[in-house]
């Protein structure tokens, strides 16, 4: 037999030794592996189907629970808006009952809807757990007292008194106390036994305030956990599977099994359940995870119970108000045995077919390509070892073409290796220079204590350095990744608009650099001032900004100094303004007083000289008007510090205590006044009558600031003013008189004008001279008047 040039004879012995025998061994190993995996295939199939079923059931329960919790939350928010806006009046108890009953008809998952007023009274409408009975509940009066429960018909008419319980007070219930503590936020209670003791409930509540922040009461909505158990019991969970819901501590709240396993105290743990399958799950979770609270993501595993394997899926659920629960679905393996047997038969057939195909394929491959591939591999090994060798020609065209491609590839690789060596050398030089440059730049930045940032505008991600994080009290790991949204959350809300404007001007090309002073929130809660500078470094193909970089420099000390300097300057300006007004008012009042004195004197002479036939009414009117004008002039003299003072040493405590009974009679009954005097003498050089006028003016002013009543505090104390802002401000120990109210308060603009003559916040009712008189008297005594006020909180003089 002859062969083409360069081809070697095909030796059968060599093929069996090098190819056939390994192929046979490979087939045997494959058969073994297929047999092994076939034994596991059925179980894998069961696991897959079980997981799909458990996931579907869990998703349905999860959707039900979202509806279970979201519905009462929406009802509370709607009713809160209706009551706070006056659309639903708490005083109209019958209308409120009918409205609550209509909502209970519309939302079958709701157990009851009720409203507790500030006096402990209750208005309630709802249904029993069986859905066969609707009821009204209310206290006899609109206050705490006897609790009555009536059966109602479909039209909302009371038909039968069901229960009467004395001494009910809504303010003592958990749903009321939790809601009032949160001040307007929607809250949710822990599961608790309802007042009638026949079910476990979860209350969703919200404290209600009117537009003036007056507390109106608490709206609440209940859902019975028995309804959730009833839903779980209606689901088809395999043939013998079950589902139950626990809180984060593993207490059972609802179960698809008999309701006898749900403890009405709400404290039954899953590991203490009467159902053996639930109890086994609870014990396993405690031993493996340390409790349900540590199961933070969807978890699946297998447990053994009663000699059989069951599949378990635990899924966390969050109700949107910060409370978490766990949904547990358990399906025994026995529910899928029929599927396992069928899968095993298919696996056996597949194994036999795979074995035959593998044997035939192995023999064919060994006969056709084993030897040419072996020669090609041998030549490649020579080349790998650095030896030059040509590829031999073979009778297979594909192998010859592959050999030619290898030859060309080898030549190109050799050329590429030479070029790569040169490029690597050049790159090392460049990298070394770049490294030195970066080190110098880093040292320069560290020397300035500046924070750096690099913003990718397409992704929103901002790269920062350690100094950026340290400036805000964080480590780099705590902040990263930093995004544009995270940065906005750190910026003070008042600075966002100006910062965005500066950025937009830079983006529009109006400014060469972006620059803004802004406040950032420190980790401990206070604000720091930074100077933020940067510029655009790259643009995308559309001409839009792509990358921007810059620095943050801490300017808190400088900014604080500027703010304090401005505050002191404003205070000086205000004092100088009041001093100027006082001088003008005092001069005018002094001249007016000189004019009024002879008018009053001559009018009194005319009245004394009048006989019975003289008409004296015009004289009396002139005298009355002149004295009123003189009283106004005296007030202006007090403001201008030009009135005569009878100074002597008096105890400031006596000024307050001597007028205690007078103040009590003067102040309205709906204002609670408390007096707290310093525990030692407070001697001052002053005019007692003028200081009493200061006290009365401030107390009456505080009363007018509380039209609906409130609390007023009068205190005396000893204080020291270490930093004098002007020549008249004391810088030593001072007696202090303090009057505080919790009335309407003032904004800063109004507070800056209250001591000016004829400026009044009371409209036509006020003269505008009460606080001006106070200011003048105190300043003439060598003292100062400070005021602190906030709208809706009150004022302190």
């Amino acid at each position: 037999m002859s062969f083409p040039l360069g081809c070697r004879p095909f030796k059968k012995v060599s093929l069996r030794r090098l190819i056939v025998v390994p192929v046979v061994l490979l087939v045997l190993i494959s058969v073994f592996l297929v047999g092994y995996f076939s034994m596991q295939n059925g179980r894998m199939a069961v696991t897959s189907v079980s997981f799909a079923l458990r996931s579907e059931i869990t998703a349905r329960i999860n959707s039900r629970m979202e509806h279970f919790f979201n519905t009462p939350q929406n009802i509370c928010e709607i009713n809160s808006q209706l009551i706070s806006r006056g659309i639903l009046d708490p005083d109209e108890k019958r209308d409120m009952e009918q409205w609550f009953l209509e909502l209970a008809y519309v939302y079958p998952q709701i157990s009851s809807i009720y409203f507790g007023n500030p006096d402990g009274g209750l208005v309630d409408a709802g249904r029993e757990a069986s859905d066969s009975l609707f009821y009204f509940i209310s206290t006899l009066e609109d206050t705490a007292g006897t609790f009555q429960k009536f059966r109602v018909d479909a039209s909302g008419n009371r038909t039968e008194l069901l229960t009467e319980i004395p001494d009910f007070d809504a303010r003592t219930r958990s749903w009321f106390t939790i809601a009032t503590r949160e001040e307007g936020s929607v809250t949710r209670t822990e599961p608790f036994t309802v007042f009638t003791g026949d079910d476990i409930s979860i209350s969703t509540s919200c404290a209600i305030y009117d537009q003036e922040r007056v507390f109106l009461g608490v709206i609440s909505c209940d859902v019975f956990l028995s309804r959730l158990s009833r839903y779980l019991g209606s689901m088809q969970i395999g043939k013998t599977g079950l589902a139950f819901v626990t809180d984060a501590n593993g207490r059972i709240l609802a179960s698809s099994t008999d309701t006898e396993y749900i403890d009405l105290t709400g404290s039954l743990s899953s590991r203490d359940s009467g159902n053996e399958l639930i109890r086994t799950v609870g014990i396993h979770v405690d031993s493996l995870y340390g409790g349900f609270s540590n199961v933070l993501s969807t978890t699946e595993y297998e447990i053994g119970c009663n000699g059989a394997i069951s599949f378990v899926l635990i899924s966390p659920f969050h109700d949107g108000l910060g409370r978490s629960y766990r949904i547990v679905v358990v399906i025994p393996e026995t529910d899928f045995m029929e599927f396992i047997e069928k899968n095993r038969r298919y696996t056996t057939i597949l194994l036999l077919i795979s074995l035959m195909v593998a044997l035939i394929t192995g023999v064919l491959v060994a006969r056709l390509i084993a030897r040419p591939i072996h020669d090609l591999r041998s030549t490649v090994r020579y080349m790998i070892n650095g030896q030059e060798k040509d590829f031999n020609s073979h009778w297979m065209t594909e192998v010859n073409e592959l050999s030619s491609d290898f030859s060309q590839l080898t030549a190109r690789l050799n050329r590429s290796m030479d070029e790569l060596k040169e490029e690597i050398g050049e790159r090392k030089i460049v990298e070394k220079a770049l490294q030195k440059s970066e080190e110098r730049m880093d040292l320069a930045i560290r020397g300035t204590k500046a924070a750096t940032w690099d913003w990718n505008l397409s992704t929103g991600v901002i790269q920062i350095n350690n100094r950026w994080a340290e400036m805000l009290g964080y480590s780099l790991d705590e902040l990263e990744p930093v995004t544009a949204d995270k940065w906005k959350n750190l910026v003070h809300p008042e600075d966002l608009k100006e910062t965005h404007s500066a950025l937009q001007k830079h983006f529009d090309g109006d400014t060469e650099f972006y620059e803004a002073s802004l406040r950032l929130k420190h980790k401990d809660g206070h604000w720091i001032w930074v100077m933020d500078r940067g510029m655009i470094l790259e643009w995308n193909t559309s001409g839009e900004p792509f990358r921007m970089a810059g620095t943050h420099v801490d300017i808190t000390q400088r900014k604080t100094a500027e703010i304090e300097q401005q505050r002191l300057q404003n205070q000086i300006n205000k004092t100088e303004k009041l001093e100027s007004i006082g001088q003008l008012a005092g001069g005018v009042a002094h001249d007016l007083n000189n004019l009024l004195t002879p008018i009053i004197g001559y009018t009194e002479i005319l009245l004394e000289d009048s006989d019975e036939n003289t008409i004296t009414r015009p004289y009396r009117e002139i005298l009355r008007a002149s004295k009123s004008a003189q009283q106004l002039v005296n007030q202006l003299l007090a403001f201008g510090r030009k009135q005569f003072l009878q100074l002597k040493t008096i105890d400031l405590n006596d000024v307050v205590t001597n007028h205690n009974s007078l103040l009590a009679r003067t102040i309205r009954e709906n204002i609670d006044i408390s007096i707290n005097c310093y525990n030692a003498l407070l001697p001052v050089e002053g005019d007692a009558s003028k200081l009493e006028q200061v006290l009365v003016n401030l107390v009456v002013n505080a009363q007018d600031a509380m039209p609906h009543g409130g609390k007023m505090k009068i205190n005396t104390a000893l204080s020291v003013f270490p930093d004098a802002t002007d020549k008249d401000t004391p810088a030593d120990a001072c007696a202090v008189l303090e009057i505080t109210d919790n009335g309407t308060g003032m904004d800063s603009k109004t507070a800056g004008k209250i001591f000016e003559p004829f400026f009044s916040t009371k409209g036509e009712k006020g003269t505008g001279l009460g606080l001006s008189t106070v200011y003048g008297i105190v300043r003439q005594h060598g003292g100062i008047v400070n005021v602190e006020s906030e709208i809706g909180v009150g004022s302190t003089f």
Side-chain angles (χ1 to χ4, degrees):
M1 180 181 293
S2 61
F3 299 92
L5 184 63
C7 290
R8 300 177 182 177
F10 186 84
K11 298 181 179 179
K12 295 182 180 180
V13 175
S14 177
L15 281 174
R16 289 196 185 104
R17 186 184 306 120
L18 299 176
I19 300 298
V20 177
V21 173
V23 169
V24 172
L25 291 176
L26 180 61
V27 170
L28 292 176
I29 293 172
S30 301
V31 169
F32 172 77
L33 293 176
V34 172
Y36 172 78
F37 285 115
S38 68
M39 299 297 293
Q40 303 296 325
N41 194 37
R43 184 167 179 78
M44 291 174 62
V46 169
T47 302
S48 176
V49 174
S50 171
F51 178 76
L53 180 58
R54 285 175 290 157
S55 299
E56 180 184 353
I57 294 172
T58 300
R60 291 168 58 192
I61 297 175
N62 189 84
S63 176
R64 183 71 175 190
M65 289 185 67
E66 287 183 355
H67 194 57
F68 189 74
F69 286 112
N70 288 342
T71 298
Q73 181 176 343
N74 294 336
I75 289 176
C76 283
E77 291 175 348
I78 292 172
N79 284 304
S80 174
Q81 292 293 323
L82 293 177
I83 295 174
S84 64
R85 295 179 181 178
I87 300 174
L88 186 61
D89 189 355
D91 294 334
E92 301 296 333
K93 188 161 60 175
R94 292 291 180 262
D95 293 343
M96 184 171 281
E97 287 177 343
Q98 291 294 334
W99 169 247
F100 290 167
L101 184 63
E102 291 176 8
L103 290 176
Y105 284 142
V106 174
Y107 299 99
Q109 66 273 30
I110 296 301
S111 307
S112 62
I113 307 170
Y114 45 93
F115 173 78
N117 62 37
D119 297 322
L122 181 72
V123 177
D124 186 357
R127 57 161 61 81
E128 297 291 0
S130 62
D131 283 337
S132 61
L133 171 64
F134 286 84
Y135 60 82
F136 285 153
I137 294 177
S138 63
T139 50
L140 288 178
E141 302 294 338
D142 289 334
T143 61
T146 302
F147 169 110
Q148 290 185 330
K149 180 177 180 180
F150 293 91
R151 181 196 298 271
V152 298
D153 57 21
S155 300
N157 299 313
R158 289 175 168 82
T159 60
E160 177 185 356
L161 177 63
L162 300 176
T163 306
E164 188 172 77
I165 301 175
D167 302 326
F168 176 84
D169 190 341
R171 296 168 296 185
T172 64
R173 305 300 291 169
S174 61
W175 53 269
F176 194 101
T177 58
I178 293 174
T180 53
R181 190 165 57 243
E182 294 298 327
E183 296 187 356
S185 299
V186 179
T187 62
R188 185 163 289 133
T189 65
E190 295 284 354
F192 65 94
T193 304
V194 296
F195 194 76
T196 55
D198 56 356
D199 209 328
I200 301 176
S201 176
I202 294 179
S203 291
T204 303
S205 309
C206 179
I208 305 174
Y209 299 85
D210 64 12
Q211 295 181 352
E212 298 180 354
R213 297 300 297 170
V214 175
F215 177 62
L216 302 178
V218 174
I219 188 70
S220 188
C221 186
D222 279 2
V223 285
F224 287 155
L225 292 178
S226 60
R227 293 186 171 277
L228 186 57
S229 295
R230 189 187 308 171
Y231 173 75
L232 297 179
S234 67
M235 301 181 69
Q236 183 66 34
I237 309 174
K239 293 183 178 180
T240 59
L242 58 86
F244 62 96
V245 177
T246 73
D247 62 10
N249 297 319
R251 293 178 298 182
I252 300 177
L253 305 181
S255 172
S256 63
T257 61
D258 296 338
T259 56
E260 63 183 0
Y261 297 124
I262 308 302
D263 185 3
L264 282 178
T265 65
S267 60
L268 179 64
S269 172
S270 56
R271 58 178 176 274
D272 300 324
S273 172
N275 185 291
E276 186 173 359
L277 195 54
I278 296 179
R279 186 170 63 254
T280 303
V281 172
I283 294 173
H284 184 84
V285 170
D286 285 347
S287 62
L288 189 60
Y289 301 103
F292 280 91
S293 61
N294 295 324
V295 181
L296 304 178
S297 59
T298 301
T299 304
E300 61 169 332
Y301 58 87
E302 301 174 4
I303 60 171
C305 182
N306 294 327
I309 294 176
S310 295
F311 302 103
V312 180
L313 183 67
I314 303 177
S315 177
F317 173 82
H318 302 279
D319 65 0
L321 293 181
R323 301 192 180 276
S324 62
Y325 307 86
R326 304 294 183 269
I327 302 171
V328 184
V329 178
V330 186
I331 303 178
E333 185 183 40
T334 54
D335 290 0
F336 299 94
M337 289 306 297
E338 180 180 352
F339 179 81
I340 293 176
E341 295 300 327
K342 182 184 297 184
N343 191 65
R344 284 179 178 174
R345 290 194 297 270
Y346 291 148
T347 302
T348 302
I349 296 173
L350 180 62
L351 174 63
L352 294 175
I353 295 174
S354 299
L355 177 61
M356 294 176 61
V357 171
L359 287 172
I360 296 171
T361 302
V363 173
L364 292 176
V365 170
R367 289 182 178 275
L368 293 175
I369 64 171
R371 185 56 178 272
I373 296 300
H374 173 76
D375 290 344
L376 183 60
R377 181 172 176 271
S378 178
T379 304
V380 171
R381 282 188 175 275
Y382 275 103
M383 298 176 66
I384 291 174
N385 294 329
Q387 301 176 9
E388 295 184 1
K389 186 177 180 181
D390 295 331
F391 291 99
N392 297 323
S393 298
H394 290 278
W395 56 273
M396 293 181 63
T397 303
E398 289 79 3
V399 174
N400 286 330
E401 292 176 351
L402 184 59
S403 300
S404 176
D405 292 341
F406 265 114
S407 297
Q408 297 178 17
L409 179 60
T410 302
R412 290 182 181 180
L413 285 175
N414 290 333
R415 291 194 300 270
S416 298
M417 287 297 292
D418 294 337
E419 295 172 356
L420 185 59
K421 288 178 181 178
E422 294 179 2
E423 185 178 348
I424 290 174
E426 295 174 355
R427 182 169 297 180
K428 286 182 178 180
I429 296 174
V430 174
E431 289 178 350
K432 188 175 182 180
L434 180 60
Q435 183 179 1
K436 290 182 178 180
S437 175
E438 290 178 347
E439 290 175 354
R440 288 195 297 270
M441 179 63 72
D442 184 59
L443 288 173
I445 291 175
R446 288 168 59 187
T448 62
K449 294 185 178 180
T452 62
W453 50 267
D454 192 330
W455 182 13
N456 187 322
L457 279 75
S458 63
T459 63
V461 175
I462 304 174
Q463 298 293 331
I464 62 174
N465 64 350
N466 284 322
R467 175 58 182 160
W468 203 100
E470 292 170 0
M471 193 179 293
L472 298 181
Y474 295 93
S475 67
L476 200 58
D477 294 338
E478 288 179 294
L479 279 180
E480 288 187 334
V482 178
T483 62
D485 290 337
K486 181 180 288 187
W487 178 82
K488 289 179 183 177
N489 292 333
L490 292 172
V491 177
H492 196 286
E494 295 178 0
D495 300 335
L496 274 176
K497 184 176 181 180
E498 183 178 352
T499 303
H500 286 167
S501 177
L503 272 174
Q504 191 60 48
K505 287 181 179 179
H506 183 53
F507 288 160
D508 295 339
D510 297 336
T511 58
E512 183 179 359
F513 295 93
Y514 152 71
E515 180 175 296
S517 297
L518 53 97
R519 285 165 286 181
L520 294 177
K521 192 170 187 179
H522 195 274
K523 183 179 181 180
D524 60 14
H526 77 274
W527 297 94
I528 68 169
W529 280 94
V530 299
M531 176 60 71
D532 190 11
R533 292 188 178 97
M535 66 179 299
I536 299 171
L537 301 180
E538 296 181 21
W539 289 261
N540 60 19
T541 55
S542 301
E544 297 175 346
F546 175 74
R547 180 186 172 203
M548 185 175 180
T551 61
H552 277 177
V553 178
D554 191 340
I555 58 171
T556 302
Q557 292 184 351
R558 188 185 79 188
K559 203 70 175 179
T560 303
E562 291 176 357
I563 293 173
E564 179 63 16
Q565 182 179 3
Q566 184 62 40
R567 184 189 69 81
L568 293 176
Q569 185 61 45
N570 291 339
Q571 186 171 351
I572 292 173
N573 293 340
K574 178 182 176 183
T575 301
E576 292 177 349
K577 176 183 177 181
L578 289 175
E579 291 299 317
S580 300
I581 296 175
Q583 291 178 4
L584 175 62
V588 173
H590 189 272
D591 293 339
L592 286 175
N593 192 51
N594 292 336
L595 296 174
L596 288 171
T597 299
I599 294 175
I600 294 173
Y602 284 123
T603 305
E604 289 177 344
I605 292 173
L606 290 172
L607 286 173
E608 290 177 358
D609 295 342
S610 301
D611 53 21
E612 294 180 355
N613 298 321
T614 304
I615 300 174
T616 61
R617 180 180 177 185
Y619 302 151
R620 290 196 300 272
E621 289 297 324
I622 293 172
L623 183 62
R624 183 188 63 79
S626 298
K627 288 187 175 181
S628 296
Q630 190 175 48
Q631 183 179 3
L632 178 62
V633 167
N634 288 335
Q635 288 177 315
L636 289 175
L637 285 173
F639 175 70
R641 291 184 276 172
K642 293 184 179 294
Q643 60 183 346
F644 177 72
L645 297 180
Q646 296 180 352
L647 297 178
K648 62 179 180 178
T649 302
I650 58 175
D651 183 5
L652 186 60
N653 289 336
D654 291 342
V655 174
V656 175
T657 56
N658 290 342
H659 286 71
N660 190 3
S661 59
L662 174 62
L663 294 177
R665 293 192 301 272
T666 303
I667 302 304
R668 297 194 307 272
E669 294 182 355
N670 63 349
I671 295 179
D672 181 16
I673 183 171
S674 63
I675 299 177
N676 183 23
C677 291
Y678 187 60
N679 57 7
L681 292 176
L682 289 175
V684 296
E685 288 293 326
D687 186 325
S689 63
K690 300 301 181 183
L691 294 181
E692 290 168 0
Q693 183 180 357
V694 168
L695 174 64
V696 172
N697 280 7
L698 290 177
V699 168
V700 171
N701 192 64
Q703 174 186 246
D704 294 340
M706 297 183 287
H708 303 293
K711 294 183 179 180
M712 183 190 307
K713 297 180 181 178
I714 302 176
N715 301 328
T716 60
L718 184 66
S719 182
V720 175
F721 297 84
D723 298 322
T725 58
D726 57 52
K727 60 183 179 64
D728 294 327
T729 300
D732 205 341
C734 296
V736 177
L737 172 63
E738 184 178 79
I739 291 88
T740 300
D741 65 75
N742 62 349
T744 55
M746 301 175 286
D747 57 24
S748 58
K749 183 178 180 180
T750 302
K753 296 182 178 181
I754 56 175
F755 295 118
E756 297 179 6
F758 306 112
F759 177 81
S760 175
T761 60
K762 306 170 188 176
E764 297 180 355
K765 297 181 180 179
T767 64
L769 288 173
L771 290 179
S772 301
T773 303
V774 169
Y775 178 84
I777 293 174
V778 173
R779 294 295 285 174
Q780 193 170 2
H781 278 76
I784 60 173
V785 184
N786 285 339
V787 59
E788 296 179 358
S789 184
E790 184 177 347
I791 294 180
V793 177
S795 304
T796 297
F797 285 81

